[in-house]
Amino acid sequence: MSTSLNTAKQSEVLNTAKQSEVLNTVKLYGTSTGNTSLDLALCGKCSLEFSSLSEISGENGVGKTTLALHSIVNCQRTNGVAAFIETEQSIDPAYMKKIGVDMDNVIFSQPTTMDDAFKIAFELIKSGTVNLIVFDSIASMLPKNEVVNGLLTENAALEFSRELAKNLEKIKAMIADSLCSVIFINQLRQNPNTSEWYSVGGKPLERYIDTRIRLKKGKVILSKKDSTVKMGHHVIATVLKNTYGKSGSIATFSVHYQKGINSVLDTLKNAVEHNIITTDDSGYTINHACAKNQSMGNDRAEALNILAQYPKFRTQIDIFTIYEHLRRAKNQLNH
């Protein structure tokens, strides 16, 4: 008879030897985005490749910062050290804590200029102790006196582009062969002549950024009790550029206001699709050497509750899912 994770300690459930084998395989690539669907859209390798620069762009309120914060949470859960450099001057530490960020162990700084922001990052990289650095955001690093009615003058835009290129080139060289990844959150602006949307920063981003992810709002999530109350929205993430894998892949997930991404549902969905967790009339069961035949509950609600109750265990399930995805991809290449 299978036993429920509700009545077993996490350390007793996981097979330590198998866990270490899988962790070592996945950590060859980097750390997770904190969203399994997006990791898998990036060909199973984590989008936050070590020694890489990534960009998360999208319209206001789509969930760019929320996604980056989930990346920090995942970094911390795998015993990594993360830094959040916030030039927007608008983040609420209480919200970061709600998402799951360990505020006692995250490096949090709010510089006001591009130079100061990059200087902090350079010092952190030199220390060799940081695994993830998040910049929020590229657009907010613009000096106020260079902005007129929300638009850069031509000369100011060129100067900003030169400074950004110089700093991106330096930070890319500094993280080469390191165990550090860097995320840049970025806003979109609309070209008044063509109506096309583009990321702030232009050509320097095209040249130096390894992974570019564009977020777009999907359907609104309404309250089941009151259909006039908005609880969140779905997000469509498109991989515009992926130096380490396939570009053009799409992932979807949901953002719940004041709660963040529904990563628990995302974990269960992908684990079932990759046969890490199986489901039948008797409920949900782990079908993996990490905890063979361990019950995940009698129904979907119980399985989700267990994953929510054991966040580090949920991270392990995500890793096993990615590992299985990589294994399947490798087998396809060999046939």
Side-chain angles (χ1 to χ4, degrees), residues 20 27 61 67 75 100 125 146 215 276 282 314:
S20 298
K27 281 190 174 181
L67 177 59
C75 177
I125 294 168
E146 293 184 354
L215 304 186
I276 302 300
S282 63
R314 186 173 80 241

Side-chain angles (χ1 to χ4, degrees), residues 187-235:
Q187 279 74 34
L188 294 181
R189 289 184 177 161
Q190 192 172 31
N191 187 314
N193 298 319
T194 64
S195 297
E196 292 182 354
W197 292 91
Y198 63 93
S199 297
V200 175
K203 291 185 178 180
L205 296 179
E206 296 175 11
R207 180 176 181 181
Y208 294 107
I209 299 294
D210 300 297
T211 303
R212 304 187 74 182
I213 301 166
R214 176 73 55 83
L215 304 186
K216 183 180 179 181
K217 282 185 180 179
K219 291 183 178 180
V220 173
I221 300 171
L222 301 175
S223 169
K224 293 181 179 179
K225 295 181 179 180
D226 184 350
S227 60
T228 64
V229 177
K230 297 179 180 180
M231 303 297 291
H233 60 264
H234 294 285
V235 177

Side-chain angles (χ1 to χ4, degrees), residues 264-276:
V264 176
L265 179 60
D266 194 62
T267 292
L268 183 62
K269 178 190 73 172
N270 286 294
V272 170
E273 288 178 0
H274 286 79
N275 207 36
I276 302 300

